[in-house]
Amino acid sequence: MHGMTSYFIRRLMLVPVTFIIITFMIYAVFRMAPGGPIEQARVQMLKAAAGEAGGGGGESGGTGMTEEERKSLEEYYQLDKPIPIGYLVWLGFWPNSHKGGKLSGVFWGDFGYSNEHSAPVLDTIISKFPVSIYFGLIGYIASWLVCIPLGIFKALKHRTHFDTLTSIVVFLGYSVPGFVAALVLMLTFGTNNFGMDWFPLGGFRSENWNVMWDQGEFWWCIKDQVHHTFIPLIAYMMASFATMTILMKNSLLDNLGADYVRTAFAKGLPERRVIFIHALRNSLIPICVGIGGAIGLLFAGSFLIEKTCTIDGMGLLGYTSLLKRDYPVLLGILTFGIVLRLLGNILSDIVLALVDPRVRFQ
Amino acid sequence: MIWKIIYLVLVFVLGWLLTKFILPWMIVRIGRLLGFRMRPTPITARRLARFRSIKRGYWSFVGISTLFVISMFLELIVNEKPLIISYDGRVAVPALNDWASKIPFLGISSFEKKEDFGQPGGSEVDYHLFQEIVENPGLISTELQAAKKKMDRAERSFKKLKEPAPDATERKKKRFATRKAMYERSKAQYAGLQDAEAVFGAGRAWILPTLYPWSAKSHREDLKANPPNSPTLEEKCFLGTTTGGRDVLVQLVYGFRISIAFALLVAAVGYFIGVLVGGMQGYYGGWIDIASQRIVEIWGSIPFLFTIMILAAMIQPGFWMLVILLVVLRSWLGITFYVRGEFYREKSKDYVQAAIASGVSDWKIITKHILPNSIVPVVTFAPFGIVAYISSLVSLDYLGFGLPPGTPSWGDLLKQGLENVQHHPYLIITPVVALAATLFAVVMIGEAVREAFDPKVFSRLR
Amino acid sequence: MTEKQKPLLQVRDLRTYFNVEGQTAKAVDGVSFDIRENEVFGLVGESGSGKSVTALSVLRLIPNPPGDIVGGAIHFRGESLLDLPWAEMRKIRGNRISMIFQEPMTALNPVFTIGFQLIEGIRLHTGCSKDEAEVKAAEMLDLVGIPDGLRRLSDYPHQFSGGMRQRAMIAMALSLTPNLLIADEPTTALDVTIQSQILELMLEMRTKTDGASILLITHDLAVVAETCQRVAVMYGGKIQEISEVIPLFEDPKHPYTQGLLKSLPRPDQGKVRRLPTIPGIVPSILHMPPGCKFADRCPERFERCDREEPELREIEPGRFCRCHLHDEEGRS
């Protein structure tokens, strides 16, 4: 156990290194991309400094960027400083001249300020957490509940009609991206095109949900929530449905052919015990390790599904921020995404160490 | 009508022959020229035979590759520009020219001026109008009358002016010049139309349109209702039009070509780099391995879709830029692990150690001994990779951060479908069916390949 | 064969076939032998000769598909194993007949402790409490030479070395004092020094427990000479010769056995120049010759060998051989 603890400590130490490398690259790209708004803002800023831009504010340049936006970009990216210094300021390890020479940056929890939302970036992002987690978590649990039994059953019925039929469903699920499934479901069950207008076309809850809740209409509220959850939930499940089912099936098949299964039979154990205790325990290992990868989806949501179903979560926030060129929020979301992925990788390692006694990290 | 059916059948037969016989033959030939043996090893031969025996996968493969090969000649099949157009002894092949102009890096341009084909003006010929006149030469006399009126009017207003004296004001001189030019132009147009009437009337003009005479960028102006139009059979608009009035069927077929070509390119370039990197890691091991694995891990932690969206918002990528972005950010990563493992395993085997010990160069060992074994993960990966990259392209287009606007794309159709989900279901149904059918076929191929390379057996003990 | 005692295990005309990509592979094709009470019986052959499949067939551990026991009879203490319902068969497995496998590395479940896997079998067959089973398991580990057995029960297989794992397997197999222990190449995957230890342990355990019979499967004639009382030589899915050990080594009857023995290094021959080998390779299991399976490689081969498969005949009391040289017609 000792070796493992130090392994994870070392792993955790790598997170900041990785984090810094990636965010620096992205920061640099943001600043250097030719024709990018920041580059344009920088050019304008230099012009302004040289006294060429003239007095009037308002629209300037071809990008439709207002003076105000330009100023906020200039402040956020420290455009008057070279890239490495600007990055250090963003990170919070260099005095921020725009904030009275104090240290303030990501490291101190300051992700900047979003003009679009009139709120600090961090607050904006965190406010979207619950919705994204709600769908991510429910979707993930639901796909476990469906995929694991289905995968087991398919393995035990390998090459039967049941297997072939479900395989077609699984592969169809694999070939239809989640958001496309959401579109189809919305078309079929969300509109009156086919006379089955059963579910709302999007949103997290009805607009009057909070009012109804306060009035004590809990039953109505729950029904409304379930109604709104149905289509996105299926779309979320589609994302992992096929891969997880097939992984479960193949993993169990491989294990059923393993030597230790024969040993277990040779001991006289009944088939049920050999399959569901000995083989299943081993074949669940790769499934469990997937948890780490799912955490990213759990928090970050999916742009595609959230856009399609107009769910006001992290994904939609990222999408609208991109449309509105709300760069502080964009960089904030990107940062969050990276941290979650890195933590997800470590979580996968931890889970692997927990479920597989052979794994000892040195 | 009959010739269209013959044309369609011919297209499929030729496409199939090309895919099934000519292209494989050429690949083998080129491979031999490059010095490869191009004969499968017994193991590969057995795997190929097994793949062929899995009917659904094999036929999906034949089907998709035939369609893709046919789609390479789409300009000759679905195009506003006709195959052949002939006017008064002048013959042109606009569709073929158009096709040649689409071959990348060749820089052929194609353009047929209106004037040369009995239509006044210097822009591209209106082929639909041309065809209408061919079918009904009477149409041109109305045009002729209009042109005559225009000419008369120009003549009258020109004759009103006198030739300005040399000392007249600049303004007067200029007005005279423009009216004169207008008059001359309308006279020439009239004369041209008179010629055209004669040519069309004598039947010395004819046109051979393509199978479905609409291009990706052309609008269905022949339809009566405002776009988006629902599918109609009478007006020969089988899958309706987009919100911009473009034909959905045309968007669909051109979108197919772009999607598959995109995915193939991304997969090919990405796997090439991935095999290189993974091979290096596995073969040399040591710090190269550790360092580059760390890089791969870091790179893999970048949320690629979001990053591409951000970059796309900045630089408005074209087709090739998008390919590069997806290769750099995604497609080379996944394969490295497998190739690395494969190299690692192979290198430790006796025959490779023996080759190393006897002083064979690294390059030769890698290409002759190890690389053939690493083809297995690449081949089993590729179909699923292609599914992923097609999905990526569709997703990016759907979000509006993909190919430039106006490029035929399934994602764009889906986006319009979402915006019109209440009233225009066909805008969702058609791209979804196309997408699902294509990806399903590719998945079938992938599953068959996997089954052929690594058959899973359920051997039951009790 | 002398009918002094009723055999413990009686295998008659056993046929186990496998379906390999549409073709039938006759892995075991008409094998008959007896194992007496309190006897170590060796089954020798090259890899692919069908000896492992024979052993697995006895416990009905043939994966189906692709394999199937298509014919023959196996009687264990008078009971026909092939006719038993699965539930009854399971009561025999691990309890009356135990098995040790070739690969100690993979034969144990990696995610369960040694204790779990030992106790599981003990409790299944005896129905005793967990604590009792644990005591018994620890005792068995001590008995097979794994010191501090009680503590090591909570170890996982990967914490054991190969030899220790095989010891644990033996403990597992013998914990319920079976009547027959089937050992399928138990020492092949181990270091040479460990090999003899494990063999000795097996023989020793036989005396410590109730004196089980052992069916020892090996390709190593030296091991047979050391441990077995009787031996059967298998080739091409068939038994070619059955004999007491000493007569077999002194006077091998079957040309294949003769070849095998000649290819052994012998200390009494002084300085050996080069060991003779049997030319050729084992015929593919899918394309067996119609006549004698060994004909292709046999130095004594004559015309009849290709045409007609010889019968397994008792050529001397207790001595069986499948060769045309030893029947009435002989070479004629």
Side-chain angles (χ1 to χ4, degrees):
Chain A
M1 210 50 203
H2 180 74
M4 220 155 83
T5 321
S6 71
Y7 170 82
F8 283 117
I9 288 172
R10 248 181 305 145
R11 238 3 256 257
L12 274 170
M13 304 264 278
L14 271 172
V15 170
V17 178
T18 316
F19 175 78
I20 285 171
I21 293 174
I22 299 181
T23 48
F24 180 72
M25 274 185 330
I26 289 171
Y27 179 88
V29 167
F30 266 49
R31 276 195 53 167
M32 290 191 304
I38 295 146
E39 175 67 15
Q40 285 178 18
R42 196 182 63 86
V43 171
Q44 282 164 28
M45 191 194 68
L46 289 178
K47 273 187 196 163
E52 286 175 22
E59 293 291 315
S60 62
T63 50
M65 191 185 303
T66 62
E67 190 68 15
E68 193 188 342
E69 280 173 344
R70 191 185 63 71
K71 274 234 175 72
S72 82
L73 277 177
E74 182 189 323
E75 185 189 315
Y76 185 64
Y77 289 103
Q78 309 288 318
L79 297 179
D80 48 346
K81 301 194 179 66
I83 291 175
I85 306 286
Y87 174 72
L88 284 179
V89 172
W90 177 80
L91 208 59
F93 293 132
W94 195 275
N96 189 338
S97 55
H98 295 265
K99 296 204 171 160
K102 278 193 300 187
L103 288 177
S104 90
V106 171
F107 185 75
W108 312 101
D110 180 7
F111 281 72
Y113 189 83
S114 163
N115 287 328
E116 199 60 50
H117 296 266
S118 312
V121 170
L122 193 63
D123 295 358
T124 313
I125 293 176
I126 287 178
S127 74
K128 307 291 180 188
F129 267 8
V131 174
S132 284
I133 294 178
Y134 170 80
F135 280 107
L137 204 62
I138 293 186
Y140 197 62
I141 292 173
S143 45
W144 269 59
L145 290 179
V146 173
C147 297
I148 293 179
L150 183 61
I152 295 172
F153 218 60
K154 275 171 74 63
L156 297 180
K157 300 270 173 207
H158 187 52
R159 293 208 174 132
T160 60
H161 288 299
F162 172 80
D163 183 36
T164 318
L165 277 176
T166 48
S167 281
I168 292 173
V169 177
V170 165
F171 292 137
L172 206 60
Y174 190 85
S175 26
V176 177
F179 78 95
V180 176
L183 268 178
V184 173
L185 288 172
M186 279 161 66
L187 181 71
T188 319
F189 301 115
T191 67
N192 219 4
N193 283 313
F194 304 105
M196 293 185 283
D197 191 0
W198 297 338
F199 295 103
L201 264 184
F204 178 54
R205 290 165 179 170
S206 292
E207 275 175 21
N208 54 344
W209 198 87
N210 285 328
V211 180
M212 296 297 265
W213 184 264
D214 291 340
Q215 286 171 1
E217 297 273 357
F218 300 127
W219 184 237
W220 182 90
C221 284
I222 291 170
K223 218 174 115 187
D224 180 70
Q225 185 75 73
V226 171
H227 253 150
H228 280 84
T229 307
F230 182 76
I231 290 178
L233 177 68
I234 293 196
Y236 270 97
M237 276 175 68
M238 292 281 279
S240 48
F241 169 67
T243 26
M244 207 190 264
T245 309
I246 294 297
L247 184 66
M248 182 69 229
K249 181 193 168 188
N250 286 346
S251 173
L252 186 57
L253 272 183
D254 285 342
N255 276 293
L256 282 175
D259 281 358
Y260 69 80
V261 163
R262 196 175 55 185
T263 312
F265 273 112
K267 277 195 282 193
L269 297 182
E271 194 177 6
R272 210 172 259 278
R273 187 175 169 87
V274 177
I275 292 173
F276 289 100
I277 307 275
H278 282 261
L280 191 60
R281 174 68 173 70
N282 279 278
S283 50
L284 280 175
I285 290 173
I287 303 266
C288 292
V289 172
I291 290 177
I295 160 173
L297 196 71
L298 211 78
F299 283 88
S302 158
F303 298 100
L304 295 153
I305 296 173
E306 290 193 1
K307 180 204 168 358
T308 308
C309 303
T310 30
I311 298 164
D312 195 13
M314 292 262 287
L316 197 62
L317 176 68
Y319 181 69
T320 48
S321 305
L322 191 53
L323 288 182
K324 303 230 166 98
R325 305 286 192 264
D326 192 351
Y327 284 92
V329 173
L330 281 182
L331 199 54
I333 290 180
L334 215 47
T335 310
F336 253 93
I338 294 162
V339 170
L340 287 175
R341 263 161 206 258
L342 292 172
L343 291 180
N345 287 351
I346 295 179
L347 184 70
S348 278
D349 280 355
I350 294 175
V351 171
L352 180 64
L354 287 179
V355 295
D356 191 342
R358 280 166 296 183
V359 176
R360 285 286 177 275
F361 299 102
Q362 292 307 321
Chain B
M1 197 61 217
I2 291 289
W3 80 262
K4 285 210 169 185
I5 292 171
I6 295 172
Y7 188 13
L8 191 67
V9 172
L10 202 68
V11 160
F12 276 97
V13 169
L14 283 178
W16 186 73
L17 286 176
L18 194 58
T19 317
K20 188 84 200 284
F21 302 105
I22 301 171
L23 281 181
W25 179 82
M26 275 169 64
I27 289 169
V28 169
R29 267 300 145 104
I30 292 170
R32 293 240 168 89
L33 271 180
L34 293 175
F36 292 101
R37 256 183 70 249
M38 295 315 276
R39 202 181 306 123
T41 59
I43 293 179
T44 319
R46 199 160 63 238
R47 284 168 174 166
L48 283 177
R50 222 184 279 141
F51 175 69
R52 247 179 232 158
S53 73
I54 305 168
K55 290 282 173 269
R56 54 183 192 279
Y58 178 64
W59 287 111
S60 300
F61 178 67
V62 172
I64 287 281
S65 41
T66 305
L67 284 180
F68 182 60
V69 167
I70 291 177
S71 81
M72 286 287 133
F73 303 95
L74 213 46
E75 276 83 6
L76 305 178
I77 306 162
V78 178
N79 199 342
E80 196 173 38
K81 303 183 181 186
L83 286 171
I84 307 172
I85 184 168
S86 168
Y87 177 80
D88 199 16
R90 171 193 287 272
V91 180
V93 281
L96 196 65
N97 287 337
D98 190 29
W99 177 75
S101 75
K102 294 287 169 61
I103 300 173
F105 313 122
L106 225 58
I108 299 172
S109 67
S110 80
F111 186 68
E112 303 297 339
K113 265 199 289 190
K114 273 188 172 170
E115 284 171 342
D116 300 339
F117 291 89
Q119 295 178 349
S123 51
E124 173 99 50
V125 185
D126 184 342
Y127 299 106
H128 289 289
L129 183 65
F130 190 93
Q131 188 173 12
E132 274 175 46
I133 298 173
V134 168
E135 283 163 8
N136 181 12
L139 276 176
I140 206 166
S141 44
T142 46
E143 291 271 331
L144 201 62
Q145 276 161 17
K148 176 141 179 32
K149 261 185 206 153
K150 202 172 151 200
M151 186 186 71
D152 289 347
R153 218 181 311 122
E155 186 178 11
R156 252 179 279 124
S157 65
F158 170 60
K159 292 273 165 71
K160 260 193 263 170
L161 295 177
K162 263 187 256 151
E163 172 106 41
D167 58 339
T169 56
E170 274 303 303
R171 209 167 133 250
K172 272 190 177 165
K173 273 187 192 168
K174 207 173 175 185
R175 196 166 59 167
F176 181 80
T178 41
R179 290 211 180 163
K180 186 178 177 188
M182 234 160 80
Y183 172 55
E184 310 256 275
R185 204 162 55 233
S186 58
K187 209 161 74 177
Q189 276 190 6
Y190 181 69
L193 277 175
Q194 269 183 321
D195 288 348
E197 192 186 28
V199 172
F200 280 110
R204 277 188 288 133
W206 53 277
I207 183 169
L208 181 64
T210 54
L211 205 52
Y212 195 73
W214 301 100
S215 297
K217 294 203 170 163
S218 57
H219 299 262
R220 288 297 298 253
E221 275 149 357
D222 58 323
L223 302 179
K224 287 177 199 82
N226 285 330
N229 306 82
S230 293
T232 55
L233 272 182
E234 309 93 72
E235 289 181 292
K236 295 208 170 109
C237 181
F238 303 116
L239 294 179
T241 68
T242 64
T243 46
R246 292 182 171 138
D247 195 294
V248 171
L249 178 63
V250 180
Q251 303 288 309
L252 223 51
V253 292
Y254 277 93
F256 173 81
R257 178 169 77 178
I258 288 196
S259 305
I260 303 264
F262 178 83
L264 281 177
L265 272 170
V266 170
V269 180
Y271 290 172
F272 180 76
I273 299 173
V275 168
L276 229 58
V277 174
M280 222 171 60
Q281 293 174 342
Y283 189 78
Y284 292 109
W287 67 266
I288 295 183
D289 185 23
I290 293 170
S292 56
Q293 259 193 305
R294 188 66 47 213
I295 292 172
V296 168
E297 192 189 321
I298 290 173
W299 211 246
S301 308
I302 301 176
F304 90 103
L305 197 64
F306 196 33
T307 311
I308 290 185
M309 281 162 64
I310 292 171
L311 291 175
M314 289 180 183
I315 57 175
Q316 290 282 333
F319 179 82
W320 295 103
M321 192 64 206
L322 214 54
V323 169
I324 293 172
L325 279 180
L326 214 66
V327 166
V328 168
L329 282 169
R330 178 83 338 179
S331 73
W332 68 278
L333 287 169
I335 197 85
T336 51
F337 299 104
Y338 295 89
V339 175
R340 175 181 171 271
E342 204 71 39
F343 267 65
Y344 207 75
R345 245 195 314 284
E346 289 298 318
K347 201 199 172 187
S348 64
K349 283 190 181 159
D350 290 343
Y351 74 97
V352 174
Q353 289 301 325
I356 293 173
S358 53
V360 182
S361 72
D362 282 357
W363 178 246
K364 206 157 184 193
I365 290 172
I366 289 175
T367 51
K368 289 270 164 196
H369 297 294
I370 305 182
L371 207 56
N373 288 298
S374 316
I375 299 304
V376 176
V378 173
V379 171
T380 45
F381 244 68
F384 298 104
I386 284 168
V387 170
Y389 308 137
I390 292 180
S391 303
S392 300
L393 181 66
V394 170
S395 308
L396 284 168
D397 282 340
Y398 175 73
L399 294 172
F401 295 99
L403 295 167
T407 319
S409 108
W410 292 353
D412 191 48
L413 287 177
L414 287 173
K415 187 177 163 196
Q416 298 185 12
L418 174 67
E419 284 152 11
N420 295 286
V421 65
Q422 294 278 12
H423 305 295
H424 296 285
Y426 66 93
L427 273 177
I428 291 183
I429 294 170
T430 40
V432 166
V433 169
L435 180 70
T438 308
L439 295 191
F440 188 71
V442 181
V443 170
M444 279 291 132
I445 299 171
E447 177 56 21
V449 169
R450 200 206 50 65
E451 180 71 26
F453 278 69
D454 171 29
K456 289 251 179 292
V457 285
F458 172 48
S459 47
R460 190 176 182 202
L461 285 171
R462 277 154 171 286
Chain C
M1 190 187 299
T2 47
E3 289 287 326
K4 269 182 270 177
Q5 54 204 138
K6 197 162 168 42
L8 177 72
L9 183 80
Q10 199 175 39
V11 177
R12 284 292 170 273
D13 196 28
L14 179 69
R15 290 166 199 277
T16 305
Y17 295 171
F18 285 83
N19 184 357
V20 183
E21 290 186 14
Q23 289 172 292
T24 303
K26 301 179 174 178
V28 171
D29 196 14
V31 161
S32 306
F33 62 90
D34 291 335
I35 296 176
R36 299 171 195 153
E37 299 271 4
N38 218 339
E39 175 183 58
V40 181
F41 185 83
L43 196 54
V44 194
E46 289 170 75
S47 40
S49 59
K51 46 195 195 321
S52 285
V53 176
T54 307
L56 290 171
S57 300
V58 171
L59 275 177
R60 290 169 72 186
L61 285 175
I62 299 298
N64 177 15
D68 197 13
I69 303 174
V70 296
I74 301 171
H75 286 271
F76 176 70
R77 300 204 294 182
E79 233 175 342
S80 170
L81 291 186
L82 294 185
D83 297 327
L84 281 183
W86 287 107
E88 294 299 311
M89 191 65 219
R90 281 184 205 115
K91 284 183 189 159
I92 291 178
R93 283 179 186 165
N95 188 15
R96 299 294 95 221
I97 307 178
S98 298
M99 189 153 178
I100 305 169
F101 297 95
Q102 182 174 353
E103 271 293 338
M105 298 293 169
T106 54
L108 288 165
N109 194 329
V111 301
F112 293 117
T113 58
I114 298 284
F116 178 93
Q117 299 184 53
L118 267 166
I119 290 166
E120 181 183 47
I122 296 171
R123 291 193 66 194
L124 177 79
H125 291 295
T126 61
C128 65
S129 76
K130 196 167 175 249
D131 292 339
E132 286 168 342
E134 206 172 282
V135 171
K136 173 80 183 162
E139 203 176 284
M140 285 309 293
L141 281 190
D142 283 330
L143 217 56
V144 295
I146 296 176
D148 201 6
L150 197 59
R151 199 177 53 79
R152 306 235 49 175
L153 282 180
S154 55
D155 279 359
Y156 285 95
H158 70 270
Q159 291 163 303
F160 276 32
S161 69
M164 269 161 70
R165 272 183 236 187
Q166 204 58 303
R167 281 171 196 268
M169 281 294 292
I170 293 173
M172 203 181 285
L174 294 179
S175 55
L176 293 162
T177 57
N179 302 79
L180 176 65
L181 175 67
I182 302 176
D184 185 0
E185 308 223 18
T187 58
T188 312
L190 302 175
D191 287 347
V192 185
T193 45
I194 313 288
Q195 281 185 9
S196 55
Q197 284 179 21
I198 294 289
L199 278 176
E200 256 164 52
L201 174 71
M202 273 171 47
L203 297 179
E204 193 188 306
M205 290 299 288
R206 204 163 74 92
T207 52
K208 276 188 195 165
T209 53
D210 262 359
S213 298
I214 296 180
L215 170 57
L216 179 67
I217 293 161
T218 179
H219 60 264
D220 191 344
L221 282 172
V223 168
V224 170
E226 253 172 70
T227 49
C228 299
Q229 279 123 46
R230 285 194 314 135
V231 61
V233 179
M234 262 189 104
Y235 187 87
K238 291 177 190 260
I239 287 187
Q240 305 294 346
E241 187 165 2
I242 302 180
S243 165
E244 304 271 332
V245 165
I246 295 164
L248 184 93
F249 276 82
E250 283 177 349
D251 176 24
K253 297 288 188 199
H254 196 283
Y256 177 59
T257 321
Q258 290 163 2
L260 279 183
L261 286 173
K262 269 188 212 141
S263 58
L264 278 183
R266 295 183 71 141
D268 53 333
Q269 277 179 346
K271 196 175 174 232
V272 190
R273 285 172 301 142
R274 193 174 174 158
L275 284 176
T277 55
I278 306 177
I281 50 162
V282 185
S284 157
I285 201 162
L286 290 170
H287 308 285
M288 281 291 178
C292 175
K293 303 298 170 243
F294 186 60
D296 283 349
R297 305 169 70 188
C298 184
E300 317 265 353
R301 167 186 181 183
F302 52 99
E303 176 264 336
R304 202 172 140 214
C305 300
D306 290 326
R307 183 162 38 87
E308 189 186 326
E309 165 111 64
E311 299 281 312
L312 187 65
R313 288 166 199 283
E314 188 161 18
I315 51 173
E316 283 166 25
R319 192 112 203 236
F320 297 78
C321 184
R322 188 191 288 277
C323 184
H324 288 311
L325 290 174
H326 298 283
D327 65 12
E328 306 87 59
E329 295 166 53
R331 230 177 228 287
S332 59

